[in-house]
Amino acid sequence: MKTIKHLGEFGIIERISRKIKNGQGVIRGIGDDAAVIRPARGVELVTSDAIVDGVDFLRKKTPAALVGRKLLAINLSDIAAMGGTPRHAVLTLGLVPDLSIVWLDQFMNGLLKLASEWRVNLVGGDISRSKTLWASLTLLGESPAGKWISRSGARVGDNIYVTGALGGAIRGKHLTFTPRIKEAQEIVRKFHPSSMIDISDGLLQDLGHILDESRVGANIDWKSVPVSFGCTLKQALTDGEDFELLFTSAKNIESKGITRVGKIVPRSQNQVKVVKGYVHF
Amino acid sequence: MKTIKHLGEFGIIERISRKIKNGQGVIRGIGDDAAVIRPARGVELVTSDAIVDGVDFLRKKTPAALVGRKLLAINLSDIAAMGGTPRHAVLTLGLVPDLSIVWLDQFMNGLLKLASEWRVNLVGGDISRSKTLWASLTLLGESPAGKWISRSGARVGDNIYVTGALGGAIRGKHLTFTPRIKEAQEIVRKFHPSSMIDISDGLLQDLGHILDESRVGANIDWKSVPVSFGCTLKQALTDGEDFELLFTSAKNIESKGITRVGKIVPRSQNQVKVVKGYVHF
């Protein structure tokens, strides 16, 4: 088996670079001390997420293409949750020396395929040796000024909505989910959400973030929570990595794929007791 | 010893966030799905560098504050090498569960002290569990459009210059060096460099990058290379992590702290044989 040791640092960079064509807004991509890009229009969004072998995937088990895909997808989901458009990414890799070249190729192919679907440019990065395989990606996006959606804008009386159905990420969806970028942009355009977040740690925990940041409480209509086929309500509420959108809006929304699950109330009253979602430590 | 396991993921984020005050250009910092920042003026620069325990530092030996400092410093050096101004950073951490809280605090203090010296805002990031301790930082910067310096602009007849003295990084300078941001900006203003790079893998290897990207060759005047006190010429040429600047310019520069070390020549003629610098794999 050919391992990355045979390529060396510059061989690896060269191998990755060959797969990349600079897209719109890239003035200077991979190959300099820093990438040079055209600044965002409106405001710039910046997010960063990492994945680690043994925690977020299993090197010997998870298909490498899905690992690469997931790394970008979880970052895309964060830009989606702001109502933004993803633009450019930088990637750092901690590579174990006995990693097969095939694994690296498939990882990059999975990542770059999803990048090309969303017209995201990989503009730079860094490669290190590591005893544990890990990868970190920073994603830049943009949003018209004043149009980005935070976690802190929920107001008493707003309705609480989720996209899609919840639960079951553990059965594979966490590797193959579609980031809700288009849905988020449509939600922003049509429904003027007061707050929005992506569900990465379970509905209850992520709702907790909106409530804390907005200093409000919530009444959840448990029966209305859309549960994925074959899942329990508890899974739908607490499983991590659904990557659906959770948002609040003063509007009464009746739209396919969007479900009303509750209402924002004053903070003291009927405070949701946040059951623990996925805990990382 | 109190370890980060006692804090939990959100406890760690809370502890780090408390140390941070959002500076200029930050519309929304840590605490949302993505940070929101004002776009760069001119062009935006993006660079990313990671450090790994056992490779770039030793957790049990290297002072944690210097590890945090180094992570930012190596990224600052990349922005410097483009002639840019650093602005915002995002940080991802792969933390071993038995890491002491003191280590994490000191790491962040070292990083944030250097950040405040250069008015860099830490605007976001991610924390993962990992069996190997690692950290990755993405640094955004800006440069007036048309004023950034690549590796690819060296022209036949240009002089080759370095800042400072080379060699000896291994004896500690790689942890305590001052990123040459001010020097780089002065070089851009006064000497219109045709190409520039920071010396991270040794003069010869990094000169090799300029020569390759610019499709030129070089004559080096070995006797003129500024060698750090107590180092050999070989160390000055091949030690990694000097983080001085290497640049080319048509001008004849006589300036304190800048040494002419050679001349750019056509590629076929007197090609510098690039002795190996630091090799990462």
Short mmCIF file of all heavy atoms in Angstrom, two decimals, chain A residues 9-10 28 32-37 39-40 42 44-50 82 92 126 129 132 134 136 138 150-151 198 205 213 280, chain B residues 9-10 28 32-37 39-40 42 44-50 82 92 126 129 132 134 136 138 150-151 198 205 213 280:
data_model
loop_
_atom_site.label_atom_id
_atom_site.label_comp_id
_atom_site.label_asym_id
_atom_site.label_seq_id
_atom_site.Cartn_x
_atom_site.Cartn_y
_atom_site.Cartn_z
N GLU A 9 5.84 16.21 1.97
CA GLU A 9 4.95 17.35 2.17
C GLU A 9 4.58 18.03 0.84
O GLU A 9 3.40 18.23 0.55
CB GLU A 9 5.61 18.39 3.10
CG GLU A 9 4.70 19.57 3.40
CD GLU A 9 5.43 20.71 4.10
OE1 GLU A 9 6.68 20.65 4.20
OE2 GLU A 9 4.76 21.66 4.51
N PHE A 10 5.60 18.35 0.04
CA PHE A 10 5.30 19.10 -1.18
C PHE A 10 4.61 18.22 -2.23
O PHE A 10 3.81 18.70 -3.02
CB PHE A 10 6.57 19.77 -1.72
CG PHE A 10 7.10 20.80 -0.77
CD1 PHE A 10 8.30 20.61 -0.10
CD2 PHE A 10 6.38 21.96 -0.51
CE1 PHE A 10 8.77 21.55 0.81
CE2 PHE A 10 6.84 22.90 0.40
CZ PHE A 10 8.04 22.70 1.06
N ARG A 28 -5.50 34.85 -6.03
CA ARG A 28 -4.33 33.97 -5.93
C ARG A 28 -4.69 32.83 -4.98
O ARG A 28 -5.02 33.08 -3.82
CB ARG A 28 -3.14 34.78 -5.39
CG ARG A 28 -1.90 33.96 -5.09
CD ARG A 28 -1.06 33.73 -6.33
NE ARG A 28 0.26 33.20 -6.01
CZ ARG A 28 0.76 32.08 -6.54
NH1 ARG A 28 0.08 31.38 -7.41
NH2 ARG A 28 1.97 31.66 -6.21
N ASP A 32 0.97 30.28 -2.39
CA ASP A 32 1.70 31.45 -1.89
C ASP A 32 1.65 31.44 -0.37
O ASP A 32 1.14 30.50 0.23
CB ASP A 32 1.13 32.74 -2.47
CG ASP A 32 2.25 33.70 -2.89
OD1 ASP A 32 3.08 34.05 -2.03
OD2 ASP A 32 2.28 34.09 -4.07
N ASP A 33 2.20 32.48 0.28
CA ASP A 33 2.16 32.50 1.74
C ASP A 33 0.74 32.63 2.25
O ASP A 33 0.40 32.12 3.32
CB ASP A 33 3.03 33.66 2.26
CG ASP A 33 4.48 33.44 1.91
OD1 ASP A 33 5.10 32.58 2.53
OD2 ASP A 33 4.99 34.11 0.99
N ALA A 34 -0.09 33.33 1.50
CA ALA A 34 -1.51 33.45 1.83
C ALA A 34 -2.29 33.50 0.54
O ALA A 34 -1.75 33.88 -0.51
CB ALA A 34 -1.77 34.71 2.66
N ALA A 35 -3.55 33.10 0.59
CA ALA A 35 -4.42 33.26 -0.57
C ALA A 35 -4.86 34.72 -0.65
O ALA A 35 -4.89 35.43 0.35
CB ALA A 35 -5.64 32.36 -0.45
N VAL A 36 -5.18 35.16 -1.86
CA VAL A 36 -5.67 36.53 -2.07
C VAL A 36 -7.05 36.40 -2.71
O VAL A 36 -7.20 35.77 -3.75
CB VAL A 36 -4.73 37.33 -3.00
CG1 VAL A 36 -5.21 38.77 -3.13
CG2 VAL A 36 -3.30 37.27 -2.49
N ILE A 37 -8.05 36.95 -2.04
CA ILE A 37 -9.42 36.85 -2.56
C ILE A 37 -10.07 38.23 -2.57
O ILE A 37 -9.65 39.15 -1.87
CB ILE A 37 -10.28 35.88 -1.72
CG1 ILE A 37 -10.34 36.31 -0.26
CG2 ILE A 37 -9.76 34.46 -1.84
CD1 ILE A 37 -11.22 35.44 0.60
N PRO A 39 -12.78 40.73 -1.46
CA PRO A 39 -13.54 40.79 -0.21
C PRO A 39 -15.02 40.47 -0.45
O PRO A 39 -15.54 40.63 -1.55
CB PRO A 39 -13.38 42.25 0.23
CG PRO A 39 -12.17 42.75 -0.49
CD PRO A 39 -12.14 42.01 -1.80
N ALA A 40 -15.66 40.01 0.63
CA ALA A 40 -17.08 39.71 0.58
C ALA A 40 -17.88 40.96 0.24
O ALA A 40 -17.48 42.07 0.56
CB ALA A 40 -17.53 39.15 1.94
N GLY A 42 -21.34 42.93 1.13
CA GLY A 42 -22.16 42.97 2.34
C GLY A 42 -21.28 42.75 3.55
O GLY A 42 -20.32 43.49 3.76
N GLU A 44 -18.95 39.76 5.82
CA GLU A 44 -18.27 38.47 5.66
C GLU A 44 -18.61 37.56 6.83
O GLU A 44 -18.64 38.00 7.98
CB GLU A 44 -16.76 38.69 5.60
CG GLU A 44 -15.99 37.39 5.45
CD GLU A 44 -14.61 37.62 4.89
OE1 GLU A 44 -13.99 38.63 5.21
OE2 GLU A 44 -14.15 36.76 4.11
N LEU A 45 -18.87 36.30 6.52
CA LEU A 45 -19.13 35.28 7.54
C LEU A 45 -17.93 34.36 7.63
O LEU A 45 -17.34 34.02 6.60
CB LEU A 45 -20.38 34.48 7.16
CG LEU A 45 -21.65 35.29 6.87
CD1 LEU A 45 -22.75 34.41 6.31
CD2 LEU A 45 -22.12 36.01 8.13
N VAL A 46 -17.55 33.96 8.84
CA VAL A 46 -16.40 33.09 9.03
C VAL A 46 -16.77 32.00 10.02
O VAL A 46 -17.23 32.29 11.12
CB VAL A 46 -15.19 33.85 9.64
CG1 VAL A 46 -13.93 33.01 9.51
CG2 VAL A 46 -15.02 35.22 9.01
N THR A 47 -16.56 30.76 9.62
CA THR A 47 -16.81 29.65 10.55
C THR A 47 -15.73 28.60 10.40
O THR A 47 -15.04 28.56 9.37
CB THR A 47 -18.21 29.03 10.33
OG1 THR A 47 -18.48 28.12 11.39
CG2 THR A 47 -18.29 28.31 9.00
N SER A 48 -15.57 27.77 11.40
CA SER A 48 -14.49 26.79 11.41
C SER A 48 -14.97 25.56 12.17
O SER A 48 -15.56 25.68 13.24
CB SER A 48 -13.29 27.41 12.13
OG SER A 48 -12.09 26.92 11.60
N ASP A 49 -14.74 24.40 11.61
CA ASP A 49 -15.11 23.15 12.27
C ASP A 49 -14.06 22.11 11.94
O ASP A 49 -13.54 22.08 10.82
CB ASP A 49 -16.48 22.65 11.79
CG ASP A 49 -17.60 23.05 12.74
OD1 ASP A 49 -17.42 22.90 13.95
OD2 ASP A 49 -18.63 23.51 12.25
N ALA A 50 -13.79 21.26 12.90
CA ALA A 50 -12.77 20.22 12.72
C ALA A 50 -13.37 18.85 12.96
O ALA A 50 -14.39 18.71 13.63
CB ALA A 50 -11.62 20.46 13.70
N MET A 82 -26.65 31.12 9.21
CA MET A 82 -26.58 32.58 9.24
C MET A 82 -27.36 33.19 8.07
O MET A 82 -27.44 34.41 7.94
CB MET A 82 -25.13 33.06 9.15
CG MET A 82 -24.19 32.50 10.20
SD MET A 82 -24.61 32.98 11.90
CE MET A 82 -24.12 34.73 11.91
N THR A 92 -6.75 22.62 6.91
CA THR A 92 -5.52 22.12 7.53
C THR A 92 -5.73 20.65 7.85
O THR A 92 -6.80 20.23 8.28
CB THR A 92 -5.13 22.89 8.80
OG1 THR A 92 -6.20 22.85 9.74
CG2 THR A 92 -4.80 24.34 8.49
N ASP A 126 -2.77 23.95 5.12
CA ASP A 126 -1.51 23.54 5.72
C ASP A 126 -1.58 22.04 5.99
O ASP A 126 -2.66 21.50 6.23
CB ASP A 126 -1.28 24.29 7.04
CG ASP A 126 0.08 24.00 7.66
OD1 ASP A 126 1.04 23.80 6.91
OD2 ASP A 126 0.17 23.98 8.91
N ARG A 129 2.25 16.63 10.20
CA ARG A 129 2.30 15.26 10.64
C ARG A 129 1.60 15.16 11.99
O ARG A 129 1.65 16.11 12.78
CB ARG A 129 3.78 14.86 10.77
CG ARG A 129 4.04 13.44 11.10
CD ARG A 129 5.48 13.05 10.69
NE ARG A 129 6.46 14.11 10.87
CZ ARG A 129 7.26 14.24 11.94
NH1 ARG A 129 7.17 13.39 12.95
NH2 ARG A 129 8.16 15.20 12.00
N THR A 132 -2.61 11.35 15.46
CA THR A 132 -4.04 11.16 15.26
C THR A 132 -4.44 11.87 13.98
O THR A 132 -4.02 13.00 13.75
CB THR A 132 -4.84 11.78 16.43
OG1 THR A 132 -4.35 11.25 17.67
CG2 THR A 132 -6.33 11.50 16.32
N TRP A 134 -6.62 14.07 11.76
CA TRP A 134 -7.64 15.10 11.96
C TRP A 134 -7.64 16.05 10.78
O TRP A 134 -6.68 16.10 9.99
CB TRP A 134 -7.41 15.87 13.28
CG TRP A 134 -6.09 16.57 13.38
CD1 TRP A 134 -4.95 16.09 13.96
CD2 TRP A 134 -5.75 17.87 12.87
NE1 TRP A 134 -3.93 17.00 13.84
CE2 TRP A 134 -4.39 18.10 13.19
CE3 TRP A 134 -6.47 18.86 12.19
CZ2 TRP A 134 -3.73 19.29 12.84
CZ3 TRP A 134 -5.80 20.05 11.84
CH2 TRP A 134 -4.45 20.25 12.17
N SER A 136 -9.23 20.18 9.74
CA SER A 136 -9.95 21.38 10.16
C SER A 136 -10.19 22.26 8.94
O SER A 136 -9.31 22.40 8.08
CB SER A 136 -9.11 22.13 11.20
OG SER A 136 -9.72 23.36 11.55
N THR A 138 -11.82 26.04 7.56
CA THR A 138 -12.42 27.34 7.80
C THR A 138 -13.15 27.75 6.53
O THR A 138 -12.60 27.65 5.43
CB THR A 138 -11.35 28.40 8.15
OG1 THR A 138 -10.67 27.99 9.34
CG2 THR A 138 -11.98 29.78 8.37
N SER A 150 -28.82 35.94 13.43
CA SER A 150 -28.06 35.48 14.60
C SER A 150 -28.90 34.51 15.42
O SER A 150 -30.02 34.15 15.06
CB SER A 150 -27.65 36.67 15.46
OG SER A 150 -28.77 37.08 16.23
N ARG A 151 -28.35 34.09 16.55
CA ARG A 151 -29.10 33.27 17.50
C ARG A 151 -29.86 34.13 18.50
O ARG A 151 -30.61 33.60 19.31
CB ARG A 151 -28.12 32.38 18.30
CG ARG A 151 -27.34 31.42 17.44
CD ARG A 151 -26.29 30.70 18.30
NE ARG A 151 -25.59 29.66 17.54
CZ ARG A 151 -24.66 28.86 18.04
NH1 ARG A 151 -24.30 28.98 19.31
NH2 ARG A 151 -24.08 27.96 17.29
N ASP A 198 -28.28 25.96 13.22
CA ASP A 198 -28.38 24.60 12.68
C ASP A 198 -28.34 23.61 13.84
O ASP A 198 -27.71 23.85 14.86
CB ASP A 198 -27.30 24.31 11.63
CG ASP A 198 -25.90 24.24 12.22
OD1 ASP A 198 -25.61 25.00 13.17
OD2 ASP A 198 -25.09 23.44 11.74
N GLN A 205 -30.78 21.08 22.85
CA GLN A 205 -29.57 21.82 23.19
C GLN A 205 -29.42 23.05 22.29
O GLN A 205 -29.07 24.14 22.77
CB GLN A 205 -28.35 20.91 23.09
CG GLN A 205 -27.10 21.53 23.68
CD GLN A 205 -26.03 20.48 23.98
OE1 GLN A 205 -26.28 19.49 24.69
NE2 GLN A 205 -24.85 20.68 23.45
N GLU A 213 -29.20 33.13 24.18
CA GLU A 213 -28.69 34.33 23.50
C GLU A 213 -29.78 35.38 23.35
O GLU A 213 -29.51 36.58 23.32
CB GLU A 213 -28.15 33.95 22.11
CG GLU A 213 -26.92 33.06 22.13
CD GLU A 213 -25.64 33.81 22.51
OE1 GLU A 213 -25.57 35.02 22.22
OE2 GLU A 213 -24.74 33.19 23.10
N HIS A 280 -19.52 16.90 23.92
CA HIS A 280 -18.26 16.56 23.27
C HIS A 280 -17.16 16.15 24.23
O HIS A 280 -16.20 15.53 23.82
CB HIS A 280 -17.78 17.73 22.41
CG HIS A 280 -18.67 18.00 21.25
ND1 HIS A 280 -18.44 17.50 20.01
CD2 HIS A 280 -19.83 18.68 21.17
CE1 HIS A 280 -19.39 17.88 19.19
NE2 HIS A 280 -20.25 18.60 19.86
N GLU B 9 -17.35 20.88 27.03
CA GLU B 9 -17.17 21.67 25.82
C GLU B 9 -17.58 23.14 26.01
O GLU B 9 -16.82 24.05 25.71
CB GLU B 9 -17.98 21.06 24.67
CG GLU B 9 -17.77 21.79 23.35
CD GLU B 9 -18.77 21.34 22.28
OE1 GLU B 9 -19.70 20.60 22.59
OE2 GLU B 9 -18.61 21.79 21.13
N PHE B 10 -18.79 23.34 26.53
CA PHE B 10 -19.27 24.72 26.63
C PHE B 10 -18.55 25.49 27.73
O PHE B 10 -18.38 26.69 27.64
CB PHE B 10 -20.79 24.74 26.80
CG PHE B 10 -21.50 24.18 25.60
CD1 PHE B 10 -22.20 22.99 25.67
CD2 PHE B 10 -21.43 24.84 24.38
CE1 PHE B 10 -22.83 22.46 24.54
CE2 PHE B 10 -22.05 24.31 23.25
CZ PHE B 10 -22.75 23.12 23.33
N ARG B 28 -20.09 40.51 14.85
CA ARG B 28 -20.55 39.45 15.77
C ARG B 28 -19.38 38.48 15.93
O ARG B 28 -18.93 37.88 14.95
CB ARG B 28 -21.78 38.75 15.16
CG ARG B 28 -22.26 37.53 15.92
CD ARG B 28 -23.16 37.92 17.07
NE ARG B 28 -23.86 36.78 17.63
CZ ARG B 28 -23.85 36.44 18.94
NH1 ARG B 28 -23.20 37.18 19.81
NH2 ARG B 28 -24.52 35.40 19.37
N ASP B 32 -21.94 32.51 17.83
CA ASP B 32 -23.01 32.24 16.86
C ASP B 32 -22.54 31.13 15.93
O ASP B 32 -21.48 30.55 16.14
CB ASP B 32 -23.38 33.52 16.09
CG ASP B 32 -24.90 33.65 15.93
OD1 ASP B 32 -25.51 32.72 15.39
OD2 ASP B 32 -25.44 34.67 16.37
N ASP B 33 -23.35 30.80 14.92
CA ASP B 33 -22.93 29.74 14.01
C ASP B 33 -21.70 30.15 13.21
O ASP B 33 -20.87 29.32 12.87
CB ASP B 33 -24.09 29.39 13.06
CG ASP B 33 -25.25 28.81 13.83
OD1 ASP B 33 -25.13 27.66 14.27
OD2 ASP B 33 -26.26 29.50 14.02
N ALA B 34 -21.60 31.44 12.91
CA ALA B 34 -20.43 31.97 12.23
C ALA B 34 -20.18 33.37 12.75
O ALA B 34 -21.10 34.03 13.24
CB ALA B 34 -20.65 31.99 10.71
N ALA B 35 -18.94 33.82 12.68
CA ALA B 35 -18.64 35.21 13.02
C ALA B 35 -19.07 36.10 11.86
O ALA B 35 -19.13 35.65 10.71
CB ALA B 35 -17.16 35.37 13.29
N VAL B 36 -19.38 37.34 12.17
CA VAL B 36 -19.73 38.32 11.15
C VAL B 36 -18.73 39.47 11.24
O VAL B 36 -18.57 40.07 12.30
CB VAL B 36 -21.16 38.86 11.37
CG1 VAL B 36 -21.57 39.80 10.24
CG2 VAL B 36 -22.16 37.71 11.50
N ILE B 37 -18.03 39.72 10.15
CA ILE B 37 -17.03 40.78 10.16
C ILE B 37 -17.20 41.70 8.97
O ILE B 37 -17.82 41.34 7.97
CB ILE B 37 -15.58 40.20 10.15
CG1 ILE B 37 -15.37 39.32 8.92
CG2 ILE B 37 -15.31 39.42 11.43
CD1 ILE B 37 -13.95 38.77 8.81
N PRO B 39 -16.02 43.31 5.69
CA PRO B 39 -15.09 42.80 4.67
C PRO B 39 -13.79 43.61 4.64
O PRO B 39 -13.77 44.77 5.05
CB PRO B 39 -15.87 42.98 3.37
CG PRO B 39 -17.29 43.10 3.76
CD PRO B 39 -17.29 43.75 5.11
N ALA B 40 -12.74 42.96 4.18
CA ALA B 40 -11.44 43.61 4.05
C ALA B 40 -11.53 44.80 3.09
O ALA B 40 -12.35 44.82 2.18
CB ALA B 40 -10.42 42.60 3.52
N GLY B 42 -9.52 46.75 0.12
CA GLY B 42 -8.55 46.27 -0.87
C GLY B 42 -8.82 44.82 -1.20
O GLY B 42 -9.91 44.47 -1.61
N GLU B 44 -8.52 40.68 0.31
CA GLU B 44 -8.44 39.92 1.55
C GLU B 44 -7.37 38.85 1.42
O GLU B 44 -7.25 38.19 0.40
CB GLU B 44 -9.79 39.26 1.83
CG GLU B 44 -9.78 38.44 3.11
CD GLU B 44 -11.18 38.24 3.67
OE1 GLU B 44 -12.11 38.09 2.87
OE2 GLU B 44 -11.32 38.24 4.90
N LEU B 45 -6.59 38.68 2.49
CA LEU B 45 -5.57 37.63 2.55
C LEU B 45 -6.04 36.56 3.53
O LEU B 45 -6.62 36.87 4.56
CB LEU B 45 -4.25 38.23 3.05
CG LEU B 45 -3.74 39.45 2.27
CD1 LEU B 45 -2.53 40.08 2.97
CD2 LEU B 45 -3.37 39.05 0.84
N VAL B 46 -5.80 35.30 3.18
CA VAL B 46 -6.23 34.19 4.04
C VAL B 46 -5.08 33.20 4.15
O VAL B 46 -4.55 32.73 3.14
CB VAL B 46 -7.44 33.43 3.44
CG1 VAL B 46 -8.06 32.51 4.48
CG2 VAL B 46 -8.47 34.37 2.86
N THR B 47 -4.71 32.87 5.38
CA THR B 47 -3.68 31.86 5.57
C THR B 47 -4.05 30.97 6.75
O THR B 47 -4.85 31.35 7.60
CB THR B 47 -2.29 32.49 5.78
OG1 THR B 47 -1.31 31.46 5.76
CG2 THR B 47 -2.21 33.23 7.10
N SER B 48 -3.48 29.78 6.80
CA SER B 48 -3.83 28.81 7.81
C SER B 48 -2.60 28.00 8.15
O SER B 48 -1.88 27.55 7.25
CB SER B 48 -4.94 27.90 7.26
OG SER B 48 -5.79 27.47 8.27
N ASP B 49 -2.33 27.81 9.43
CA ASP B 49 -1.20 26.98 9.87
C ASP B 49 -1.60 26.25 11.12
O ASP B 49 -2.31 26.80 11.96
CB ASP B 49 0.04 27.85 10.16
CG ASP B 49 1.00 27.88 8.99
OD1 ASP B 49 1.26 26.81 8.41
OD2 ASP B 49 1.49 28.97 8.66
N ALA B 50 -1.12 25.04 11.25
CA ALA B 50 -1.45 24.21 12.40
C ALA B 50 -0.18 23.78 13.12
O ALA B 50 0.91 23.76 12.54
CB ALA B 50 -2.23 22.99 11.94
N MET B 82 3.14 38.59 2.59
CA MET B 82 2.32 39.14 1.50
C MET B 82 2.32 40.67 1.54
O MET B 82 1.72 41.31 0.68
CB MET B 82 0.87 38.64 1.60
CG MET B 82 0.69 37.14 1.62
SD MET B 82 1.23 36.30 0.11
CE MET B 82 -0.08 36.74 -1.04
N THR B 92 -9.16 26.41 15.78
CA THR B 92 -9.72 25.10 16.12
C THR B 92 -8.70 24.35 16.96
O THR B 92 -7.49 24.42 16.72
CB THR B 92 -10.09 24.26 14.88
OG1 THR B 92 -8.94 24.11 14.05
CG2 THR B 92 -11.19 24.92 14.07
N ASP B 126 -13.57 26.23 16.97
CA ASP B 126 -14.21 24.95 17.27
C ASP B 126 -13.29 24.16 18.19
O ASP B 126 -12.07 24.32 18.15
CB ASP B 126 -14.44 24.17 15.96
CG ASP B 126 -15.19 22.87 16.18
OD1 ASP B 126 -16.07 22.84 17.06
OD2 ASP B 126 -14.92 21.88 15.47
N ARG B 129 -12.43 16.79 20.74
CA ARG B 129 -11.63 15.85 21.50
C ARG B 129 -10.64 15.18 20.55
O ARG B 129 -10.97 14.95 19.39
CB ARG B 129 -12.58 14.81 22.12
CG ARG B 129 -11.98 13.85 23.06
CD ARG B 129 -13.04 13.26 24.00
NE ARG B 129 -14.34 13.05 23.36
CZ ARG B 129 -14.73 11.88 22.83
NH1 ARG B 129 -13.92 10.84 22.79
NH2 ARG B 129 -15.94 11.76 22.31
N THR B 132 -4.31 13.20 20.15
CA THR B 132 -3.10 14.00 20.01
C THR B 132 -3.50 15.46 20.15
O THR B 132 -4.49 15.90 19.57
CB THR B 132 -2.46 13.79 18.62
OG1 THR B 132 -2.25 12.40 18.42
CG2 THR B 132 -1.13 14.54 18.50
N TRP B 134 -3.49 19.17 19.27
CA TRP B 134 -3.15 19.98 18.11
C TRP B 134 -3.97 21.26 18.10
O TRP B 134 -4.99 21.37 18.80
CB TRP B 134 -3.38 19.20 16.79
CG TRP B 134 -4.78 18.72 16.57
CD1 TRP B 134 -5.29 17.50 16.88
CD2 TRP B 134 -5.88 19.46 15.99
NE1 TRP B 134 -6.62 17.44 16.54
CE2 TRP B 134 -7.00 18.62 16.00
CE3 TRP B 134 -6.00 20.76 15.46
CZ2 TRP B 134 -8.25 19.03 15.51
CZ3 TRP B 134 -7.23 21.16 14.98
CH2 TRP B 134 -8.34 20.30 15.00
N SER B 136 -5.11 24.58 15.21
CA SER B 136 -5.04 25.14 13.86
C SER B 136 -5.64 26.54 13.88
O SER B 136 -6.66 26.77 14.53
CB SER B 136 -5.82 24.23 12.91
OG SER B 136 -5.85 24.79 11.61
N THR B 138 -6.67 29.97 11.44
CA THR B 138 -6.80 30.65 10.16
C THR B 138 -6.76 32.15 10.43
O THR B 138 -7.46 32.64 11.31
CB THR B 138 -8.11 30.28 9.46
OG1 THR B 138 -8.13 28.87 9.21
CG2 THR B 138 -8.25 31.01 8.13
N SER B 150 3.54 38.56 -4.17
CA SER B 150 3.49 37.11 -4.32
C SER B 150 4.90 36.54 -4.33
O SER B 150 5.89 37.25 -4.14
CB SER B 150 2.78 36.75 -5.62
OG SER B 150 3.68 36.91 -6.70
N ARG B 151 4.96 35.23 -4.55
CA ARG B 151 6.26 34.57 -4.70
C ARG B 151 6.71 34.57 -6.17
O ARG B 151 7.81 34.13 -6.46
CB ARG B 151 6.15 33.11 -4.26
CG ARG B 151 5.78 32.91 -2.81
CD ARG B 151 5.56 31.43 -2.51
NE ARG B 151 5.34 31.21 -1.08
CZ ARG B 151 5.14 30.02 -0.52
NH1 ARG B 151 5.13 28.93 -1.30
NH2 ARG B 151 4.96 29.90 0.76
N ASP B 198 8.26 34.30 3.56
CA ASP B 198 8.90 34.19 4.88
C ASP B 198 9.70 32.90 4.93
O ASP B 198 9.34 31.90 4.30
CB ASP B 198 7.88 34.29 6.03
CG ASP B 198 6.94 33.09 6.11
OD1 ASP B 198 6.58 32.55 5.04
OD2 ASP B 198 6.58 32.70 7.22
N GLN B 205 15.46 26.41 0.69
CA GLN B 205 14.19 25.82 0.26
C GLN B 205 13.17 26.92 -0.08
O GLN B 205 12.45 26.82 -1.07
CB GLN B 205 13.65 24.90 1.35
CG GLN B 205 12.51 24.05 0.87
CD GLN B 205 12.26 22.84 1.78
OE1 GLN B 205 13.16 22.04 2.03
NE2 GLN B 205 11.06 22.72 2.28
N GLU B 213 8.28 29.57 -8.69
CA GLU B 213 7.07 30.31 -9.02
C GLU B 213 7.35 31.43 -10.02
O GLU B 213 6.49 31.81 -10.81
CB GLU B 213 6.43 30.91 -7.75
CG GLU B 213 5.91 29.88 -6.76
CD GLU B 213 4.59 29.25 -7.20
OE1 GLU B 213 3.82 29.94 -7.90
OE2 GLU B 213 4.34 28.08 -6.86
N HIS B 280 8.85 17.99 6.25
CA HIS B 280 7.82 17.68 7.24
C HIS B 280 7.42 16.21 7.28
O HIS B 280 6.83 15.77 8.24
CB HIS B 280 6.59 18.55 7.00
CG HIS B 280 6.86 20.01 7.25
ND1 HIS B 280 6.57 20.61 8.45
CD2 HIS B 280 7.44 20.94 6.49
CE1 HIS B 280 6.94 21.88 8.39
NE2 HIS B 280 7.45 22.11 7.22
#
